[in-house]
Amino acid sequence: KQEVTQIPAALSVPEGENLVLNCSFTDSAIYNLQWFRQDPGKGLTSLLLIQSSQREQTSGRLNASLDKSSGRSTLYIAASQPGDSATYLCAVSGDNYGQNFVFGPGTRLSVLP
Amino acid sequence: DAGVIQSPRHEVTEMGQEVTLRCKPISGHNSLFWYRQTMMRGLELLIYFNNNVPIDDSGMPEDRFSAKMPNASFSTLKIQPSEPRDSAVYFCASSLALRGVTEAFFGQGTRLTVV
């Protein structure tokens, strides 16, 4: 059974810092990995999708990498801003139909002005 | 497209009552997921459908929960009878499986409170 963990559980940084969020999964047979952002009381917003054949994806100040063999992904946020404060979740999709997402518990990020 | 639409946004009901949550996926998507989110357990997959057919319902907590997808544009999650421990935020998500690439899009959720 696929299990996804995220480290750290919570992170507080001053504005402007570069930071890394970590995601680990136990079964490397995945179709893709997706990073989400969730603001308090809101739904999940997709940030980046990395296909299993890819090693990284970039969008603006965000860069996500994937190492399938070691079961790891990292989300790099450059020049953090207070507006980046949210919970970040990673999810992997299994290979039955390529559609069953398993989520990690999330990292709660606070960027202080 | 307006995205995944869920209704109601908030629901407060008394223990023992029937609750029905509704979801309209993104047009053209062929997979639909129901998740439950709590502080204690995080996001849990309850059930997912592919082309309107339930594929995996192993996450449905017990027989009090049932889900249907009568057509490609509508799904319901029903709890009968509801219990206080069912209080959570319920999310619906949809995706389009295309050559194995499946990006999921979530609705805003339904916050259910059972008193």
Side-chain angles (χ1 to χ4, degrees):
Chain A
K1 180 183 174 183
Q2 179 74 271
E3 292 183 3
V4 181
T5 55
Q6 291 186 245
I7 295 173
L11 182 63
S12 184
V13 299
E15 182 177 5
E17 274 202 8
N18 302 324
L19 54 98
V20 174
L21 308 181
N22 298 290
C23 171
S24 299
F25 47 96
T26 55
D27 186 349
S28 61
I30 64 170
Y31 266 100
N32 41 253
L33 184 144
Q34 195 167 353
W35 282 93
F36 294 87
R37 167 187 174 137
Q38 185 176 28
D39 293 285
K42 304 290 186 182
L44 281 71
T45 301
S46 178
L47 297 174
L48 289 165
L49 171 73
I50 311 177
Q51 299 177 42
S52 60
S53 58
Q54 299 174 324
R55 293 193 65 83
E56 67 176 338
Q57 283 286 336
T58 298
S59 176
R61 295 182 294 106
L62 305 180
N63 176 276
S65 66
L66 174 63
D67 184 342
K68 260 187 67 173
S69 60
S70 67
R72 293 180 184 176
S73 176
T74 60
L75 178 66
Y76 176 82
I77 303 177
S80 58
Q81 303 171 357
D84 295 331
S85 299
T87 296
Y88 291 80
L89 299 102
C90 68
V92 296
S93 67
D95 66 351
N96 289 345
Y97 286 79
Q99 297 161 44
N100 181 0
F101 292 92
V102 178
F103 279 82
T107 293
R108 190 171 66 253
L109 172 65
S110 296
V111 181
L112 307 174
Chain B
D1 200 308
V4 177
I5 299 174
Q6 291 185 246
S7 64
R9 291 293 311 276
H10 301 275
E11 176 80 34
V12 180
T13 190
E14 291 185 348
M15 183 174 63
Q17 296 297 307
E18 175 182 305
V19 176
T20 299
L21 311 181
R22 297 173 176 79
C23 175
K24 181 180 186 308
I26 292 174
S27 177
H29 280 190
N30 59 3
S31 292
L32 183 140
F33 310 81
W34 282 102
Y35 286 89
R36 177 171 67 178
Q37 187 177 40
T38 60
M39 289 291 293
M40 291 295 295
R41 300 173 69 93
L43 264 168
E44 302 174 280
L45 177 68
L46 300 177
I47 185 171
Y48 78 93
F49 296 84
N50 180 253
N51 293 324
N52 311 338
V53 176
I55 302 301
D56 185 355
D57 64 355
S58 59
M60 297 285 262
E62 48 198 272
D63 292 344
R64 297 184 297 107
F65 286 69
S66 62
K68 294 182 180 179
M69 191 165 187
N71 56 61
S73 60
F74 184 66
S75 176
T76 59
L77 177 68
K78 183 181 292 186
I79 308 173
Q80 180 185 22
S82 57
E83 297 182 2
R85 61 193 169 116
D86 301 330
S87 297
V89 181
Y90 290 81
F91 287 104
C92 175
S94 71
S95 72
L96 172 64
L98 189 64
R99 297 194 200 117
V101 179
T102 55
E103 184 171 9
F105 296 86
F106 278 70
Q108 289 299 300
T110 295
R111 182 174 296 278
L112 174 64
T113 303
V114 183
V115 298

